[in-house]
């Protein structure tokens, strides 16, 4: 995804309408080119609004985010899962993240930045992910991490642009880094670990105690061929409307 275009969409609106995406799913049918496999998932996050603001205000420090916390059901919703991912997400819906509360990212301020133009942005900085961020989907329903589960890992060192908006919301978007996917064996397809050719992770939080929302997507090439651009996630007018959805546990 082209970062400048994404930022142009984010800045005027505030945080994007991921809440609406979480409720309705992606209406655009995934059109896949050749050997591209896509996985998209989203859910809620812990409350990190004030903690991130404190870091930006001080010009130093770090903040933590728990993705798909147990208090919100401990699950993530999958709306796009094609090719390699399809056998493991054959029915769109909620998939437990295991172990519970295991997807915790620590984001350390690397430098303050000025975005020009920056309508509605009070402060901004570049943050580095200091630990591996790993999502393990309970695809086999065992309740434990096992060989039948798909895993998505964003490795330590990934960089994110974080913004505090005049509205009081905060938003964070991946600028450098990739998802690595561990995909189990399926039928005639061997197990594999592969780096995404295009990666998305955006998350944000409004003021108040309700917590945040995130959306993630990665694409892999299952056969040697030209890599396609992402273009699938219609973040158009992306703003974390943060409409809280109560997750139903499986």
């Amino acid at each position: 995804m082209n970062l400048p275009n994404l930022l142009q969409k984010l800045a005027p609106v505030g945080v994007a309408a991921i809440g609406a995406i979480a409720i309705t799913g992606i209406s655009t049918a995934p059109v896949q080119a050749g050997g591209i496999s896509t996985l998209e998932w989203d859910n809620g996050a812990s409350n990190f609004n004030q903690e991130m603001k404190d870091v930006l205000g001080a010009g130093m420090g770090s903040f933590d985010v728990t993705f798909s916390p147990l208090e919100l059901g401990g699950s993530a919703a999958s709306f796009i899962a094609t090719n390699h991912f399809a056998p493991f997400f054959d029915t769109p819906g909620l998939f437990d993240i295991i172990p519970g509360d295991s997807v915790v990212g620590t984001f350390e301020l690397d430098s303050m930045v000025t975005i020009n133009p920056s309508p509605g942005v009070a402060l901004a900085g570049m943050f580095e992910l200091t630990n591996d961020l790993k999502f393990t989907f309970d695809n086999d329903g065992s309740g434990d991490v096992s060989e039948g589960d798909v895993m998505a890992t964003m490795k330590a060192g990934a960089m994110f642009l974080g913004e505090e908006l005049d509205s009081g919301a905060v938003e964070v978007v991946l600028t450098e880094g990739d998802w690595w996917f561990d995909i189990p064996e399926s039928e005639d397809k061997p197990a594999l670990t592969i780096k995404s050719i295009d990666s998305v992770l955006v998350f944000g939080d409004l003021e108040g105690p309700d917590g945040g929302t995130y959306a993630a997507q990665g694409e892999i090439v299952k056969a040697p061929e030209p890599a396609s651009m992402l273009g699938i996630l219609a973040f158009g007018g992306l703003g974390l409307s943060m409409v809280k959805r109560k997750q139903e546990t499986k």
Side-chain angles (χ1 to χ4, degrees), residues 32-239:
Q32 296 300 320
I36 302 298
S37 299
T38 301
L39 180 65
E40 177 230 324
W41 68 102
D42 57 67
N43 196 250
S46 60
N47 192 333
F48 63 94
N49 183 293
Q50 190 58 53
E51 190 178 359
M52 178 176 161
K53 287 179 182 176
D54 290 343
V55 172
L56 286 172
M60 61 183 297
S62 63
F63 67 94
D64 296 332
V65 181
T66 302
F67 298 88
S68 294
L70 278 173
E71 63 183 20
L72 297 180
S75 302
S78 170
F79 295 109
I80 297 177
T82 66
N83 293 335
H84 269 300
F85 297 110
F88 307 99
F89 300 89
D90 53 352
T91 304
L94 299 177
F95 293 84
D96 289 341
I97 304 296
I98 50 177
D101 286 339
S102 62
V103 190
V104 181
T106 298
F107 301 87
E108 184 173 4
L109 183 63
D110 178 74
S111 61
M112 299 296 291
V113 299
T114 300
I115 300 177
N116 188 25
S118 54
V121 178
L123 292 171
M126 293 302 301
F127 290 84
E128 180 179 357
L129 177 66
T130 64
N131 62 297
D132 288 353
L133 187 67
K134 176 174 284 189
F135 289 81
T136 302
F137 303 91
D138 190 17
N139 301 101
D140 60 6
S142 67
D144 299 308
V145 178
S146 64
E147 293 182 354
D149 299 326
V150 174
M151 299 180 187
T153 303
M154 181 69 64
K155 295 187 177 181
M159 299 300 295
F160 294 79
L161 172 65
E163 296 178 340
E164 176 185 343
L165 306 181
D166 291 341
S167 65
V170 293
E171 62 186 20
V172 185
V173 58
L174 175 69
T175 62
E176 182 183 337
D178 292 288
W179 291 109
W180 285 82
F181 292 106
D182 291 293
I183 304 174
E185 179 180 358
S186 174
E187 299 175 349
D188 59 339
K189 300 182 182 69
L192 61 106
T193 298
I194 191 167
K195 178 182 177 182
S196 175
I197 61 169
D198 210 345
S199 302
V200 170
L201 177 58
V202 291
F203 54 100
D205 191 6
L206 297 177
E207 289 184 310
D210 291 336
T213 307
Y214 76 87
Q217 180 171 318
E219 289 186 342
I220 63 171
V221 178
K222 70 175 185 179
E225 58 187 68
S228 73
M229 292 301 292
L230 180 60
I232 301 283
L233 258 188
F235 279 122
L238 217 106

